[in-house]
Amino acid sequence: MKNIVLFALAAVVLWGCNRNKNMNTLNLTQEWDKTFPKSELVDHSKVTFTNLFGITLAADLYVPKNATGKLPAIAVCGPFGAVKEQSSGLYAQHMAERGFVTLAFDPSYTGESGGEPRRMASPDINTEDLSAAVDYLSNHELVDPERIGVIGICGWGGIALNAAAVDPRIKATVASTMYELTRVNEKGYFDQNDSEDARYAVRQMVAKQRTEDFRTGKHPRAGGVLDPLPEDAPWFVKEYHAYYKCPRGYHARSGNSTDGWAIDGMMPMMNTRLLRYAGEIRSAVLIVHGEKAHSRYMGEDAFKLLRGDNKELMIIPGATHVDLYDDLKGVIPYDKFESFFNTYLSAQE
């Protein structure tokens, strides 16, 4: 048994050493095509790295101007269905202005990142995407590998907590306006479809779609944010539309702005519990929600699972879910993020 374990470890080490030598080449856009203006206080570059599933990920690296020495770093992703040219890039650029090396990336199967078929979702692979981002940052010449945190926005808030539970290299986690995606897929919004019959009906639909997709070789998508909006659309869907479908936040590579996720990719989200080990996260966590966010209940319930005096819940007065996507309302608490990461990514930690 001991020899088997040693052989397995050696194989993992060998794969890790060669992982970045076998990256698939990605066709990366070089012009600035973000939904936010470029900062003159940071240096920006496009980079790639691979995860343990062999998928090459595309990212934007933001470095403070004239950076020297070993700096703390933050990997940023989300919202779920968005791309790095939207909220995650905005967050990353702001935090780089405040002295952090930051990495905003497109998850597997989305944006400029690799992976086929396109627009597939996987709680497991997406959690690995964050750990792969930590791999990259841990080996960057400007980064102190002992001082790495993550920010997950919207659906990536829950994924960030899952990554923090499994990867102790993550010393501090911010979940901003978070969703627990597996809960929404299992139970519907506000847990209104939490029944075996409701779940079985969805499972039947997805299973039928999988059979059809195998026959045709195609993977139809469920559609992004509704457009045009029906008059009776929920208020939070109208909020999504005002961001993703309008010049404020639209991006052609964003699934939420265009045609959404592959239908048959829903199945893994209905059979996984992202927050199963949230209570075992020993590193620092900050959960941030708007007071009026429709998703607030998910963040508050996630916070109840956390243990330790290094956990904090911050509710922003008057803010909604989408208010934390960009700087339109000026409510994203960058000062709080900075103080949180400075505390828990300090050189003494």
Side-chain angles (χ1 to χ4, degrees):
M1 176 63 72
K2 181 179 179 181
N3 289 337
I4 292 175
V5 172
L6 290 174
F7 176 79
L9 288 173
V12 170
V13 170
L14 182 62
W15 162 239
C17 291
N18 289 287
R19 189 151 51 107
N20 289 316
K21 296 179 182 178
N22 297 305
M23 292 189 298
N24 296 320
T25 300
L26 299 179
N27 184 21
L28 302 181
T29 302
Q30 295 304 315
E31 66 268 17
W32 186 267
D33 62 347
K34 321 300 185 193
T35 58
F36 51 90
K38 186 175 183 179
S39 172
E40 297 304 319
L41 300 178
V42 304
D43 292 321
H44 163 264
S45 59
K46 302 293 280 280
V47 300
T48 60
F49 56 95
T50 55
N51 65 21
L52 288 181
F53 293 95
I55 299 171
T56 305
L57 304 183
D60 288 304
L61 183 70
Y62 298 89
V63 178
K65 287 279 189 183
N66 304 313
T68 59
K70 296 287 189 177
L71 301 177
I74 306 169
V76 191
C77 199
F80 201 74
V83 288
K84 63 188 181 303
E85 289 74 22
Q86 296 171 310
S87 300
S88 61
L90 175 70
Y91 275 58
Q93 182 171 258
H94 272 291
M95 297 311 295
E97 289 178 337
R98 293 163 182 260
F100 301 87
V101 174
T102 61
L103 186 73
F105 65 91
D106 287 332
S108 295
Y109 310 108
T110 67
E112 293 186 300
S113 289
E116 293 289 343
R118 304 301 291 165
R119 303 269 178 79
M120 284 290 172
S122 166
D124 187 21
I125 294 177
N126 290 149
T127 299
E128 161 57 23
D129 288 342
L130 259 180
S131 285
V134 174
D135 293 342
Y136 176 86
L137 290 172
S138 296
N139 288 278
H140 194 281
E141 61 181 1
L142 290 176
V143 173
D144 181 347
E146 298 301 319
R147 301 166 67 194
I148 296 176
V150 300
I151 297 176
I153 307 164
C154 189
W156 274 81
I159 293 170
L161 293 178
N162 196 42
V166 75
D167 193 339
R169 296 175 303 168
I170 298 172
K171 299 301 193 294
T173 300
V174 168
S176 180
T177 196
M178 71 161 280
Y179 263 43
E180 183 188 344
L181 289 167
T182 51
R183 177 177 178 175
V184 174
N185 276 274
E186 291 170 358
K187 302 179 181 182
Y189 279 106
F190 314 110
D191 299 340
Q192 290 180 344
N193 295 319
D194 185 15
S195 73
E196 180 180 335
D197 286 345
R199 281 186 285 274
Y200 188 68
V202 176
R203 289 167 185 155
Q204 284 184 307
M205 181 273 291
V206 176
K208 181 178 180 181
Q209 186 67 55
R210 288 189 62 147
T211 300
E212 177 70 9
D213 293 354
F214 185 87
R215 184 183 67 81
T216 64
K218 299 178 181 179
H219 298 269
R221 295 169 185 168
V225 176
L226 289 174
D227 187 42
L229 279 174
E231 291 184 4
D232 61 348
W235 65 270
F236 61 88
V237 174
K238 294 178 181 178
E239 270 205 312
Y240 285 136
H241 187 278
Y243 179 78
Y244 286 111
K245 293 293 188 176
C246 297
R248 169 186 170 192
Y250 175 87
H251 198 281
R253 290 193 293 273
S254 167
N256 292 341
S257 290
T258 55
D259 56 359
W261 292 95
I263 297 172
D264 52 2
M266 292 175 59
M267 192 171 281
M269 286 293 181
M270 298 190 67
N271 205 36
T272 303
R273 295 291 172 86
L274 274 176
L275 303 186
R276 180 178 179 185
Y277 292 108
E280 297 184 9
I281 299 174
R282 299 187 180 186
S283 56
V285 175
L286 170 64
I287 295 178
V288 178
H289 262 292
E291 177 190 17
K292 298 181 178 179
H294 69 282
S295 54
R296 176 177 168 179
Y297 73 99
M298 287 185 264
E300 290 178 328
D301 286 353
F303 183 72
K304 294 174 185 176
L305 300 174
L306 305 177
R307 296 182 295 179
D309 57 9
N310 58 352
K311 310 301 191 291
E312 185 175 353
L313 174 65
M314 179 182 187
I315 302 299
I316 301 174
T320 65
H321 181 89
V322 174
D323 285 345
L324 273 73
Y325 278 15
D326 61 11
D327 293 333
L328 184 66
K329 297 287 184 66
V331 297
I332 298 175
Y334 298 115
D335 289 343
K336 177 63 177 180
F337 295 164
E338 180 181 6
S339 63
F340 172 78
F341 283 119
N342 278 337
T343 297
Y344 294 105
L345 300 183
S346 65
Q348 289 74 36
E349 282 294 306

